[in-house]
Amino acid sequence: MLITNIKGLVGLHLKQKLVLRGNELGDLPVLENAWLLIEDGLIKDFGEMSSIPSQISNLSSQMSAKGRYVFPSWCDSHTHIVFAASREEEFAMKIQGKSYEEIAAAGGGILNSANKLQMATEDELFQSAALRLKQMILQGTGAVEIKSGYGLTTESEIKMLRVIRRLKDQFPIPVKATFLAAHAFPAGFKNNHQGYIDLIINEMLPQIEEEKLADYIDVFCEKGFFSVEETDQILKAGAKYGLKPKIHANQLSVSGAIEVAVKNGAISVDHLEESNEETIKTLRNASTIVTLLPSCSFYLGIPFADAKGFIKAGLPLALATDYNPGSTPSGNMNFVVSLACIKMKMFPEQAINAATLNGAAAMELSGDYGSITVGKKANLMITKPMPSIAYLPYSFGESLVDQVILNGKIYNG
């Protein structure tokens, strides 16, 4: 496939640049009035229209992108899209000013989703998650991570991970699976934390290993959930089964989660709505990626993460949706990029890089995804006509993704 007359080809990075740190996030190369050649599902070549080779310009399979931009697909490295039902019944509680912790204490939150999921069949979960994933792809997402964590029993956690595997098998994008049984303590283990941790370590992890169901392990390390010591125990157990950490950290407080994550070699630490100088100091000495989730802050009314502070410190920064039924009922990465600019004061170039190449890096996929680079997978999105790349985050209520290309083929759902 040859795409011609592209107004701007966005995100041309060298293949060896697998993650962008600090000020590098502001470097978003754009080739104007360009062409792009795709062969065998890969990016084959690109250049300016004024110098397009004649043997390429005469190809039969062509499409024009006049007035439009071509971006690498969004890479969403933090989602919870396998769930049984929405939680709009908690919506009014949020409006009334109830906090995340108060809703959880009243039987809402994660335990609410767990109760509903335990009653759902694997097929029901797959069908609903597939609809969500299809919509995310049509909004420009071309790689995704999905967590378990609404099961909280061996049977239901395994059920969720099997659904994620089915999504991976049936959708044309890379899907990474994260085991998150340490999302909350089930009611029956409220006063027996070690009993539940033993269940995770001695029963769940061996079965996950046997069926090869997960790539990563995650823990919600936070006051009222899992302590630093409990988190460390779970991460070390996961490592014995080859599961790398991706940690929910500092969402509600500076909890010590960053330190335990870095100590255990976490691929990413996610949330960080709360941080301090010690947080930054710890991350400066690590390769761990900071993944920010601004639509969670938007929905819950909690502080937005200090993106500018992390960038100033030279840290690698990614953006993701946190799509889940309780705190972020949206998988729209376009809105995430807009929020990053509007509420966290990131420049459009920074936000786009964080949502593409660095999002891919947070899933260990940036060797093949996340930028327009010769040899990488042709997972792309073509916008509707727009005046500049800044218009995409600026016009936050407008649907600007016109066409999606996955593995070199147009995707229509």
Side-chain angles (χ1 to χ4, degrees), residues 86-403:
S86 56
R87 283 171 21 203
E88 66 273 12
E89 67 273 16
E90 297 174 14
F91 190 54
M93 296 175 72
K94 292 184 176 71
I95 295 172
Q96 291 166 6
K98 299 292 184 182
S99 70
Y100 189 91
E101 297 96 323
E102 288 171 326
I103 292 171
I110 295 164
L111 295 183
N112 185 3
S113 282
N115 291 334
K116 293 175 179 178
L117 186 136
Q118 288 165 12
M119 298 174 64
T121 68
E122 183 179 315
D123 284 341
E124 288 170 340
L125 291 171
F126 173 78
Q127 293 300 328
S128 63
L131 289 174
R132 295 179 197 113
L133 184 54
K134 184 182 297 184
Q135 184 61 36
M136 292 168 68
I137 292 171
L138 291 172
Q139 292 171 334
T141 294
V144 67
E145 180 260 16
I146 309 172
K147 303 177 189 294
S148 69
Y150 292 133
L152 306 187
T153 66
T154 300
E155 178 185 4
S156 292
E157 285 293 312
I158 296 300
K159 177 170 61 176
M160 289 188 75
L161 290 168
R162 287 173 179 161
V163 168
I164 296 170
R165 182 170 61 188
R166 287 175 64 180
L167 294 170
K168 180 177 182 177
D169 290 342
Q170 297 194 32
F171 278 82
I173 66 170
V175 174
K176 291 280 192 170
T178 298
F179 172 51
L180 179 59
H183 202 189
F185 285 99
F189 290 92
K190 183 177 181 181
N191 298 313
N192 182 16
H193 285 194
Q194 191 58 47
Y196 184 57
I197 293 169
D198 288 343
L199 185 69
I200 291 173
I201 293 173
N202 299 324
E203 191 170 299
M204 297 186 196
L205 280 171
Q207 190 166 345
I208 291 167
E209 164 64 18
E210 182 179 349
E211 297 188 39
K212 307 298 181 188
L213 290 174
D215 303 292
Y216 303 111
I217 189 167
D218 198 343
V219 180
F220 189 8
C221 184
E222 186 58 73
K223 180 182 177 182
F225 294 88
F226 289 79
S227 70
V228 169
E229 294 75 21
E230 290 165 345
T231 298
D232 189 52
Q233 184 183 1
I234 293 165
L235 296 185
K236 283 181 166 54
K240 293 179 181 178
Y241 292 91
L243 301 183
K244 301 176 183 179
K246 286 172 66 71
I247 304 302
H248 281 63
N250 289 22
Q251 180 178 0
L252 307 173
S253 64
V254 178
S255 62
I258 301 299
E259 289 76 10
V260 73
V262 169
K263 171 185 168 184
N264 283 278
I267 300 299
S268 69
V269 285
D270 301 17
H271 277 290
L272 279 74
E273 288 86 354
E274 300 288 344
S275 64
N276 57 22
E277 283 300 318
E278 192 62 31
T279 300
I280 290 176
K281 181 180 178 182
T282 301
L283 289 167
R284 267 204 187 106
N285 300 317
S287 60
T288 301
I289 294 170
V290 176
T291 300
L292 305 185
L293 312 168
S295 51
C296 176
S297 296
F298 169 80
Y299 189 78
L300 292 180
I302 62 177
F304 286 83
D306 182 19
K308 293 186 75 173
F310 295 133
I311 292 170
K312 184 179 180 181
L315 302 180
L317 194 70
L319 292 170
T321 63
D322 193 24
Y323 191 179
N324 73 80
S327 64
T328 319
S330 169
N332 190 339
M333 282 291 285
N334 303 281
F335 184 53
V336 168
V337 170
S338 292
L339 281 175
C341 297
I342 296 166
K343 304 299 288 187
M344 299 196 299
K345 306 305 178 185
M346 293 177 70
F347 296 122
E349 294 83 359
Q350 294 172 331
I352 291 164
N353 273 327
T356 53
L357 186 64
N358 278 13
M363 296 181 277
E364 300 179 289
L365 292 171
S366 57
D368 293 306
Y369 299 90
S371 67
I372 295 177
T373 302
V374 172
K376 283 194 176 185
K377 294 285 188 180
N379 280 21
L380 311 163
M381 55 183 173
I382 304 176
T383 71
K384 296 174 182 177
M386 60 183 199
S388 68
I389 62 169
Y391 188 83
L392 191 150
Y394 157 81
S395 185
F396 69 90
E398 189 175 354
S399 178
L400 288 166
V401 177
D402 187 42
Q403 288 182 305

